[in-house]
mmCIF file of all heavy atoms in Angstrom:
data_model
loop_
_atom_site.group_PDB
_atom_site.id
_atom_site.type_symbol
_atom_site.label_atom_id
_atom_site.label_comp_id
_atom_site.label_asym_id
_atom_site.label_seq_id
_atom_site.Cartn_x
_atom_site.Cartn_y
_atom_site.Cartn_z
ATOM 1 N N LEU K 1 -55.132 -9.393 -56.982
ATOM 2 C CA LEU K 1 -53.951 -10.230 -56.737
ATOM 3 C C LEU K 1 -52.663 -9.468 -57.042
ATOM 4 O O LEU K 1 -51.721 -9.475 -56.241
ATOM 5 C CB LEU K 1 -54.026 -11.503 -57.586
ATOM 6 C CG LEU K 1 -55.167 -12.471 -57.291
ATOM 7 C CD1 LEU K 1 -55.012 -13.740 -58.114
ATOM 8 C CD2 LEU K 1 -55.233 -12.812 -55.816
ATOM 9 N N THR K 2 -52.620 -8.831 -58.200
ATOM 10 C CA THR K 2 -51.390 -8.141 -58.589
ATOM 11 C C THR K 2 -51.095 -6.954 -57.673
ATOM 12 O O THR K 2 -49.943 -6.748 -57.278
ATOM 13 C CB THR K 2 -51.477 -7.664 -60.043
ATOM 14 O OG1 THR K 2 -52.667 -6.874 -60.221
ATOM 15 C CG2 THR K 2 -51.530 -8.842 -60.998
ATOM 16 N N GLN K 3 -52.121 -6.205 -57.312
ATOM 17 C CA GLN K 3 -51.902 -5.038 -56.453
ATOM 18 C C GLN K 3 -51.588 -5.443 -55.021
ATOM 19 O O GLN K 3 -50.804 -4.778 -54.340
ATOM 20 C CB GLN K 3 -53.133 -4.128 -56.478
ATOM 21 C CG GLN K 3 -53.347 -3.418 -57.796
ATOM 22 C CD GLN K 3 -52.183 -2.511 -58.160
ATOM 23 O OE1 GLN K 3 -51.683 -1.760 -57.321
ATOM 24 N NE2 GLN K 3 -51.743 -2.583 -59.404
ATOM 25 N N SER K 4 -52.190 -6.533 -54.530
ATOM 26 C CA SER K 4 -51.888 -7.008 -53.174
ATOM 27 C C SER K 4 -50.425 -7.391 -53.058
ATOM 28 O O SER K 4 -49.734 -7.014 -52.097
ATOM 29 C CB SER K 4 -52.775 -8.212 -52.827
ATOM 30 O OG SER K 4 -54.131 -7.848 -52.740
ATOM 31 N N ILE K 5 -49.946 -8.147 -54.040
ATOM 32 C CA ILE K 5 -48.539 -8.561 -54.014
ATOM 33 C C ILE K 5 -47.624 -7.351 -54.168
ATOM 34 O O ILE K 5 -46.628 -7.217 -53.445
ATOM 35 C CB ILE K 5 -48.269 -9.583 -55.129
ATOM 36 C CG1 ILE K 5 -49.057 -10.874 -54.856
ATOM 37 C CG2 ILE K 5 -46.784 -9.885 -55.246
ATOM 38 C CD1 ILE K 5 -48.966 -11.891 -55.972
ATOM 39 N N SER K 6 -47.959 -6.459 -55.081
ATOM 40 C CA SER K 6 -47.119 -5.288 -55.332
ATOM 41 C C SER K 6 -47.056 -4.369 -54.112
ATOM 42 O O SER K 6 -45.969 -3.927 -53.707
ATOM 43 C CB SER K 6 -47.659 -4.527 -56.547
ATOM 44 O OG SER K 6 -46.943 -3.336 -56.756
ATOM 45 N N ASN K 7 -48.206 -4.066 -53.527
ATOM 46 C CA ASN K 7 -48.245 -3.154 -52.379
ATOM 47 C C ASN K 7 -47.454 -3.694 -51.199
ATOM 48 O O ASN K 7 -46.659 -2.979 -50.579
ATOM 49 C CB ASN K 7 -49.697 -2.913 -51.951
ATOM 50 C CG ASN K 7 -50.464 -2.061 -52.939
ATOM 51 O OD1 ASN K 7 -49.894 -1.245 -53.647
ATOM 52 N ND2 ASN K 7 -51.775 -2.262 -53.010
ATOM 53 N N ALA K 8 -47.685 -4.971 -50.873
ATOM 54 C CA ALA K 8 -47.032 -5.546 -49.693
ATOM 55 C C ALA K 8 -45.542 -5.770 -49.914
ATOM 56 O O ALA K 8 -44.734 -5.534 -49.009
ATOM 57 C CB ALA K 8 -47.719 -6.864 -49.320
ATOM 58 N N SER K 9 -45.164 -6.243 -51.106
ATOM 59 C CA SER K 9 -43.750 -6.524 -51.363
ATOM 60 C C SER K 9 -42.923 -5.240 -51.369
ATOM 61 O O SER K 9 -41.838 -5.187 -50.780
ATOM 62 C CB SER K 9 -43.587 -7.277 -52.687
ATOM 63 O OG SER K 9 -44.067 -6.506 -53.776
ATOM 64 N N PHE K 10 -43.437 -4.195 -52.021
ATOM 65 C CA PHE K 10 -42.693 -2.936 -52.062
ATOM 66 C C PHE K 10 -42.660 -2.284 -50.682
ATOM 67 O O PHE K 10 -41.677 -1.627 -50.326
ATOM 68 C CB PHE K 10 -43.314 -1.988 -53.076
ATOM 69 C CG PHE K 10 -42.496 -0.755 -53.331
ATOM 70 C CD1 PHE K 10 -41.402 -0.800 -54.180
ATOM 71 C CD2 PHE K 10 -42.806 0.445 -52.711
ATOM 72 C CE1 PHE K 10 -40.630 0.334 -54.407
ATOM 73 C CE2 PHE K 10 -42.047 1.581 -52.935
ATOM 74 C CZ PHE K 10 -40.955 1.524 -53.789
ATOM 75 N N GLY K 11 -43.754 -2.461 -49.901
ATOM 76 C CA GLY K 11 -43.826 -1.850 -48.579
ATOM 77 C C GLY K 11 -42.709 -2.301 -47.656
ATOM 78 O O GLY K 11 -42.176 -1.499 -46.875
ATOM 79 N N ILE K 12 -42.334 -3.594 -47.724
ATOM 80 C CA ILE K 12 -41.267 -4.084 -46.850
ATOM 81 C C ILE K 12 -39.909 -4.059 -47.548
ATOM 82 O O ILE K 12 -38.869 -3.983 -46.897
ATOM 83 C CB ILE K 12 -41.593 -5.516 -46.350
ATOM 84 C CG1 ILE K 12 -40.627 -5.952 -45.253
ATOM 85 C CG2 ILE K 12 -41.585 -6.503 -47.515
ATOM 86 C CD1 ILE K 12 -40.677 -5.115 -44.000
ATOM 87 N N PHE K 13 -39.902 -4.126 -48.885
ATOM 88 C CA PHE K 13 -38.623 -4.110 -49.611
ATOM 89 C C PHE K 13 -37.959 -2.744 -49.542
ATOM 90 O O PHE K 13 -36.728 -2.654 -49.404
ATOM 91 C CB PHE K 13 -38.839 -4.501 -51.081
ATOM 92 C CG PHE K 13 -37.592 -4.390 -51.925
ATOM 93 C CD1 PHE K 13 -36.641 -5.394 -51.894
ATOM 94 C CD2 PHE K 13 -37.362 -3.276 -52.722
ATOM 95 C CE1 PHE K 13 -35.478 -5.297 -52.654
ATOM 96 C CE2 PHE K 13 -36.211 -3.170 -53.477
ATOM 97 C CZ PHE K 13 -35.267 -4.184 -53.449
ATOM 98 N N PHE K 14 -38.739 -1.674 -49.633
ATOM 99 C CA PHE K 14 -38.151 -0.327 -49.663
ATOM 100 C C PHE K 14 -37.398 0.000 -48.372
ATOM 101 O O PHE K 14 -36.300 0.560 -48.431
ATOM 102 C CB PHE K 14 -39.238 0.708 -49.933
ATOM 103 C CG PHE K 14 -38.697 2.060 -50.299
ATOM 104 C CD1 PHE K 14 -38.085 2.273 -51.520
ATOM 105 C CD2 PHE K 14 -38.793 3.117 -49.413
ATOM 106 C CE1 PHE K 14 -37.566 3.513 -51.855
ATOM 107 C CE2 PHE K 14 -38.281 4.359 -49.727
ATOM 108 C CZ PHE K 14 -37.670 4.563 -50.955
ATOM 109 N N PRO K 15 -37.942 -0.335 -47.165
ATOM 110 C CA PRO K 15 -37.138 -0.118 -45.954
ATOM 111 C C PRO K 15 -35.837 -0.928 -45.958
ATOM 112 O O PRO K 15 -34.818 -0.454 -45.446
ATOM 113 C CB PRO K 15 -38.068 -0.585 -44.829
ATOM 114 C CG PRO K 15 -39.437 -0.413 -45.375
ATOM 115 C CD PRO K 15 -39.313 -0.732 -46.835
ATOM 116 N N LYS K 16 -35.858 -2.135 -46.540
ATOM 117 C CA LYS K 16 -34.612 -2.899 -46.668
ATOM 118 C C LYS K 16 -33.631 -2.188 -47.590
ATOM 119 O O LYS K 16 -32.436 -2.102 -47.319
ATOM 120 C CB LYS K 16 -34.922 -4.288 -47.238
ATOM 121 C CG LYS K 16 -35.509 -5.284 -46.267
ATOM 122 C CD LYS K 16 -35.788 -6.600 -46.975
ATOM 123 C CE LYS K 16 -34.583 -7.100 -47.725
ATOM 124 N NZ LYS K 16 -34.854 -8.299 -48.527
ATOM 125 N N PHE K 17 -34.167 -1.668 -48.679
ATOM 126 C CA PHE K 17 -33.332 -1.025 -49.697
ATOM 127 C C PHE K 17 -32.682 0.251 -49.158
ATOM 128 O O PHE K 17 -31.516 0.543 -49.446
ATOM 129 C CB PHE K 17 -34.182 -0.713 -50.925
ATOM 130 C CG PHE K 17 -33.441 -0.063 -52.054
ATOM 131 C CD1 PHE K 17 -32.590 -0.809 -52.867
ATOM 132 C CD2 PHE K 17 -33.590 1.282 -52.319
ATOM 133 C CE1 PHE K 17 -31.893 -0.210 -53.909
ATOM 134 C CE2 PHE K 17 -32.904 1.893 -53.357
ATOM 135 C CZ PHE K 17 -32.047 1.136 -54.159
ATOM 136 N N THR K 18 -33.430 1.024 -48.371
ATOM 137 C CA THR K 18 -32.920 2.295 -47.842
ATOM 138 C C THR K 18 -32.203 2.130 -46.502
ATOM 139 O O THR K 18 -31.537 3.060 -46.046
ATOM 140 C CB THR K 18 -34.078 3.291 -47.678
ATOM 141 O OG1 THR K 18 -35.063 2.744 -46.786
ATOM 142 C CG2 THR K 18 -34.716 3.592 -49.022
ATOM 143 N N GLY K 19 -32.369 0.983 -45.862
ATOM 144 C CA GLY K 19 -31.722 0.749 -44.574
ATOM 145 C C GLY K 19 -32.562 1.124 -43.374
ATOM 146 O O GLY K 19 -32.140 0.922 -42.227
ATOM 147 N N THR K 20 -33.775 1.646 -43.598
ATOM 148 C CA THR K 20 -34.622 2.031 -42.462
ATOM 149 C C THR K 20 -35.262 0.823 -41.787
ATOM 150 O O THR K 20 -35.950 0.987 -40.775
ATOM 151 C CB THR K 20 -35.726 2.997 -42.922
ATOM 152 O OG1 THR K 20 -36.471 2.403 -43.986
ATOM 153 C CG2 THR K 20 -35.135 4.309 -43.400
ATOM 154 N N ILE K 21 -35.045 -0.388 -42.329
ATOM 155 C CA ILE K 21 -35.591 -1.587 -41.700
ATOM 156 C C ILE K 21 -35.012 -1.776 -40.299
ATOM 157 O O ILE K 21 -35.648 -2.363 -39.421
ATOM 158 C CB ILE K 21 -35.293 -2.827 -42.584
ATOM 159 C CG1 ILE K 21 -36.001 -4.076 -42.042
ATOM 160 C CG2 ILE K 21 -33.785 -3.079 -42.650
ATOM 161 C CD1 ILE K 21 -37.480 -4.032 -42.133
ATOM 162 N N TYR K 22 -33.803 -1.229 -40.060
ATOM 163 C CA TYR K 22 -33.177 -1.386 -38.748
ATOM 164 C C TYR K 22 -33.959 -0.651 -37.663
ATOM 165 O O TYR K 22 -33.929 -1.046 -36.492
ATOM 166 C CB TYR K 22 -31.736 -0.884 -38.803
ATOM 167 C CG TYR K 22 -30.846 -1.725 -39.689
ATOM 168 C CD1 TYR K 22 -30.449 -1.271 -40.946
ATOM 169 C CD2 TYR K 22 -30.416 -2.974 -39.273
ATOM 170 C CE1 TYR K 22 -29.659 -2.049 -41.763
ATOM 171 C CE2 TYR K 22 -29.624 -3.759 -40.088
ATOM 172 C CZ TYR K 22 -29.245 -3.295 -41.333
ATOM 173 O OH TYR K 22 -28.463 -4.081 -42.134
ATOM 174 N N GLU K 23 -34.647 0.422 -38.034
ATOM 175 C CA GLU K 23 -35.478 1.124 -37.066
ATOM 176 C C GLU K 23 -36.622 0.240 -36.596
ATOM 177 O O GLU K 23 -36.995 0.251 -35.422
ATOM 178 C CB GLU K 23 -36.020 2.405 -37.691
ATOM 179 C CG GLU K 23 -34.940 3.405 -38.084
ATOM 180 C CD GLU K 23 -35.527 4.646 -38.734
ATOM 181 O OE1 GLU K 23 -36.774 4.767 -38.755
ATOM 182 O OE2 GLU K 23 -34.755 5.498 -39.209
ATOM 183 N N VAL K 24 -37.183 -0.531 -37.531
ATOM 184 C CA VAL K 24 -38.284 -1.437 -37.179
ATOM 185 C C VAL K 24 -37.757 -2.597 -36.351
ATOM 186 O O VAL K 24 -38.367 -2.990 -35.346
ATOM 187 C CB VAL K 24 -38.976 -1.957 -38.459
ATOM 188 C CG1 VAL K 24 -40.074 -2.953 -38.111
ATOM 189 C CG2 VAL K 24 -39.543 -0.798 -39.263
ATOM 190 N N LEU K 25 -36.607 -3.165 -36.748
ATOM 191 C CA LEU K 25 -36.061 -4.329 -36.053
ATOM 192 C C LEU K 25 -35.591 -3.994 -34.642
ATOM 193 O O LEU K 25 -35.614 -4.849 -33.753
ATOM 194 C CB LEU K 25 -34.897 -4.917 -36.857
ATOM 195 C CG LEU K 25 -35.245 -5.493 -38.235
ATOM 196 C CD1 LEU K 25 -33.987 -5.949 -38.958
ATOM 197 C CD2 LEU K 25 -36.231 -6.639 -38.104
ATOM 198 N N SER K 26 -35.151 -2.751 -34.428
ATOM 199 C CA SER K 26 -34.669 -2.354 -33.097
ATOM 200 C C SER K 26 -35.777 -1.839 -32.192
ATOM 201 O O SER K 26 -35.556 -1.666 -30.989
ATOM 202 C CB SER K 26 -33.583 -1.282 -33.237
ATOM 203 O OG SER K 26 -34.119 -0.119 -33.874
ATOM 204 N N ALA K 27 -36.948 -1.594 -32.745
ATOM 205 C CA ALA K 27 -38.072 -1.084 -31.948
ATOM 206 C C ALA K 27 -38.672 -2.221 -31.110
ATOM 207 O O ALA K 27 -38.593 -3.395 -31.482
ATOM 208 C CB ALA K 27 -39.132 -0.488 -32.869
ATOM 209 N N PRO K 28 -39.311 -1.885 -29.989
ATOM 210 C CA PRO K 28 -39.930 -2.913 -29.127
ATOM 211 C C PRO K 28 -41.278 -3.383 -29.679
ATOM 212 O O PRO K 28 -42.335 -3.190 -29.068
ATOM 213 C CB PRO K 28 -40.079 -2.188 -27.792
ATOM 214 C CG PRO K 28 -40.268 -0.749 -28.173
ATOM 215 C CD PRO K 28 -39.392 -0.537 -29.384
ATOM 216 N N VAL K 29 -41.240 -3.981 -30.855
ATOM 217 C CA VAL K 29 -42.459 -4.503 -31.475
ATOM 218 C C VAL K 29 -42.210 -5.946 -31.895
ATOM 219 O O VAL K 29 -41.096 -6.325 -32.258
ATOM 220 C CB VAL K 29 -42.883 -3.666 -32.708
ATOM 221 C CG1 VAL K 29 -43.324 -2.282 -32.302
ATOM 222 C CG2 VAL K 29 -41.759 -3.586 -33.731
ATOM 223 N N SER K 30 -43.248 -6.756 -31.820
ATOM 224 C CA SER K 30 -43.126 -8.157 -32.203
ATOM 225 C C SER K 30 -43.290 -8.305 -33.711
ATOM 226 O O SER K 30 -43.731 -7.384 -34.406
ATOM 227 C CB SER K 30 -44.195 -8.992 -31.485
ATOM 228 O OG SER K 30 -45.490 -8.649 -31.960
ATOM 229 N N TRP K 31 -42.953 -9.495 -34.219
ATOM 230 C CA TRP K 31 -43.085 -9.763 -35.653
ATOM 231 C C TRP K 31 -44.539 -9.666 -36.078
ATOM 232 O O TRP K 31 -44.844 -9.196 -37.171
ATOM 233 C CB TRP K 31 -42.528 -11.148 -35.985
ATOM 234 C CG TRP K 31 -43.351 -12.293 -35.452
ATOM 235 C CD1 TRP K 31 -43.235 -12.891 -34.226
ATOM 236 C CD2 TRP K 31 -44.422 -12.962 -36.129
ATOM 237 N NE1 TRP K 31 -44.159 -13.886 -34.080
ATOM 238 C CE2 TRP K 31 -44.903 -13.958 -35.242
ATOM 239 C CE3 TRP K 31 -45.014 -12.825 -37.376
ATOM 240 C CZ2 TRP K 31 -45.956 -14.815 -35.566
ATOM 241 C CZ3 TRP K 31 -46.066 -13.677 -37.702
ATOM 242 C CH2 TRP K 31 -46.530 -14.648 -36.814
ATOM 243 N N LEU K 32 -45.457 -10.075 -35.178
ATOM 244 C CA LEU K 32 -46.875 -10.041 -35.519
ATOM 245 C C LEU K 32 -47.365 -8.611 -35.687
ATOM 246 O O LEU K 32 -48.148 -8.304 -36.594
ATOM 247 C CB LEU K 32 -47.690 -10.760 -34.438
ATOM 248 C CG LEU K 32 -49.189 -10.878 -34.688
ATOM 249 C CD1 LEU K 32 -49.476 -11.642 -35.981
ATOM 250 C CD2 LEU K 32 -49.877 -11.556 -33.508
ATOM 251 N N GLU K 33 -46.891 -7.707 -34.841
ATOM 252 C CA GLU K 33 -47.302 -6.306 -34.934
ATOM 253 C C GLU K 33 -46.765 -5.649 -36.205
ATOM 254 O O GLU K 33 -47.458 -4.847 -36.833
ATOM 255 C CB GLU K 33 -46.815 -5.556 -33.688
ATOM 256 C CG GLU K 33 -47.524 -6.000 -32.413
ATOM 257 C CD GLU K 33 -46.740 -5.674 -31.150
ATOM 258 O OE1 GLU K 33 -45.577 -5.221 -31.279
ATOM 259 O OE2 GLU K 33 -47.282 -5.870 -30.053
ATOM 260 N N VAL K 34 -45.549 -6.003 -36.592
ATOM 261 C CA VAL K 34 -44.983 -5.487 -37.841
ATOM 262 C C VAL K 34 -45.796 -5.970 -39.030
ATOM 263 O O VAL K 34 -46.133 -5.197 -39.938
ATOM 264 C CB VAL K 34 -43.511 -5.923 -37.987
ATOM 265 C CG1 VAL K 34 -42.969 -5.531 -39.359
ATOM 266 C CG2 VAL K 34 -42.658 -5.310 -36.892
ATOM 267 N N VAL K 35 -46.133 -7.263 -39.020
ATOM 268 C CA VAL K 35 -46.910 -7.845 -40.123
ATOM 269 C C VAL K 35 -48.297 -7.214 -40.197
ATOM 270 O O VAL K 35 -48.779 -6.876 -41.288
ATOM 271 C CB VAL K 35 -47.019 -9.371 -39.958
ATOM 272 C CG1 VAL K 35 -47.997 -9.955 -40.973
ATOM 273 C CG2 VAL K 35 -45.658 -10.017 -40.122
ATOM 274 N N ILE K 36 -48.943 -7.039 -39.058
ATOM 275 C CA ILE K 36 -50.284 -6.436 -39.052
ATOM 276 C C ILE K 36 -50.237 -5.030 -39.642
ATOM 277 O O ILE K 36 -51.119 -4.632 -40.412
ATOM 278 C CB ILE K 36 -50.866 -6.410 -37.623
ATOM 279 C CG1 ILE K 36 -51.178 -7.832 -37.148
ATOM 280 C CG2 ILE K 36 -52.148 -5.570 -37.584
ATOM 281 C CD1 ILE K 36 -51.631 -7.903 -35.698
ATOM 282 N N GLY K 37 -49.221 -4.265 -39.292
ATOM 283 C CA GLY K 37 -49.105 -2.904 -39.804
ATOM 284 C C GLY K 37 -48.904 -2.854 -41.303
ATOM 285 O O GLY K 37 -49.657 -2.173 -42.018
ATOM 286 N N TYR K 38 -47.913 -3.596 -41.794
ATOM 287 C CA TYR K 38 -47.605 -3.569 -43.233
ATOM 288 C C TYR K 38 -48.683 -4.258 -44.061
ATOM 289 O O TYR K 38 -49.159 -3.715 -45.069
ATOM 290 C CB TYR K 38 -46.253 -4.236 -43.492
ATOM 291 C CG TYR K 38 -45.069 -3.346 -43.241
ATOM 292 C CD1 TYR K 38 -44.257 -3.532 -42.121
ATOM 293 C CD2 TYR K 38 -44.746 -2.314 -44.125
ATOM 294 C CE1 TYR K 38 -43.161 -2.707 -41.883
ATOM 295 C CE2 TYR K 38 -43.653 -1.495 -43.893
ATOM 296 C CZ TYR K 38 -42.870 -1.696 -42.773
ATOM 297 O OH TYR K 38 -41.794 -0.877 -42.547
ATOM 298 N N VAL K 39 -49.067 -5.452 -43.654
ATOM 299 C CA VAL K 39 -50.062 -6.216 -44.419
ATOM 300 C C VAL K 39 -51.439 -5.562 -44.314
ATOM 301 O O VAL K 39 -52.208 -5.539 -45.286
ATOM 302 C CB VAL K 39 -50.108 -7.676 -43.941
ATOM 303 C CG1 VAL K 39 -51.262 -8.440 -44.589
ATOM 304 C CG2 VAL K 39 -48.790 -8.370 -44.258
ATOM 305 N N GLY K 40 -51.755 -5.011 -43.143
ATOM 306 C CA GLY K 40 -53.047 -4.329 -42.985
ATOM 307 C C GLY K 40 -53.178 -3.142 -43.921
ATOM 308 O O GLY K 40 -54.233 -2.939 -44.543
ATOM 309 N N ALA K 41 -52.111 -2.359 -44.053
ATOM 310 C CA ALA K 41 -52.139 -1.213 -44.962
ATOM 311 C C ALA K 41 -52.242 -1.668 -46.414
ATOM 312 O O ALA K 41 -53.030 -1.118 -47.195
ATOM 313 C CB ALA K 41 -50.892 -0.356 -44.768
ATOM 314 N N ALA K 42 -51.457 -2.687 -46.785
ATOM 315 C CA ALA K 42 -51.494 -3.190 -48.161
ATOM 316 C C ALA K 42 -52.863 -3.766 -48.500
ATOM 317 O O ALA K 42 -53.390 -3.549 -49.598
ATOM 318 C CB ALA K 42 -50.407 -4.248 -48.355
ATOM 319 N N ALA K 43 -53.454 -4.500 -47.549
ATOM 320 C CA ALA K 43 -54.781 -5.078 -47.789
ATOM 321 C C ALA K 43 -55.850 -4.002 -47.897
ATOM 322 O O ALA K 43 -56.775 -4.114 -48.712
ATOM 323 C CB ALA K 43 -55.130 -6.057 -46.663
ATOM 324 N N THR K 44 -55.731 -2.956 -47.102
ATOM 325 C CA THR K 44 -56.689 -1.842 -47.186
ATOM 326 C C THR K 44 -56.655 -1.206 -48.567
ATOM 327 O O THR K 44 -57.704 -0.927 -49.175
ATOM 328 C CB THR K 44 -56.365 -0.782 -46.118
ATOM 329 O OG1 THR K 44 -56.452 -1.378 -44.822
ATOM 330 C CG2 THR K 44 -57.353 0.387 -46.204
ATOM 331 N N LYS K 45 -55.442 -0.973 -49.080
ATOM 332 C CA LYS K 45 -55.299 -0.378 -50.413
ATOM 333 C C LYS K 45 -55.862 -1.306 -51.489
ATOM 334 O O LYS K 45 -56.528 -0.856 -52.427
ATOM 335 C CB LYS K 45 -53.826 -0.065 -50.677
ATOM 336 C CG LYS K 45 -53.277 1.073 -49.832
ATOM 337 C CD LYS K 45 -51.824 1.362 -50.168
ATOM 338 C CE LYS K 45 -50.893 0.420 -49.451
ATOM 339 N NZ LYS K 45 -49.468 0.775 -49.620
#
């Protein structure tokens, strides 16, 4: 539980913090594809 929350929260927070989230938002990808990528990696870990 603790690692799932930590991995996923930091994974999306860090792009917000550094400003690279705009690259994801401007890319031709849907919200579902973004979630699958970030959450899939966090769940794997």
Side-chain angles (χ1 to χ4, degrees):
L1 296 186
T2 54
Q3 290 299 315
S4 294
I5 295 174
S6 175
N7 289 332
S9 61
F10 189 80
I12 190 63
F13 175 80
F14 194 71
K16 283 179 52 186
F17 181 76
T18 59
T20 55
I21 187 67
Y22 294 105
E23 297 179 7
V24 177
L25 296 176
S26 61
V29 293
S30 67
W31 69 271
L32 183 60
E33 292 159 353
V34 173
V35 171
I36 291 174
Y38 279 107
V39 172
T44 300
K45 291 182 278 187

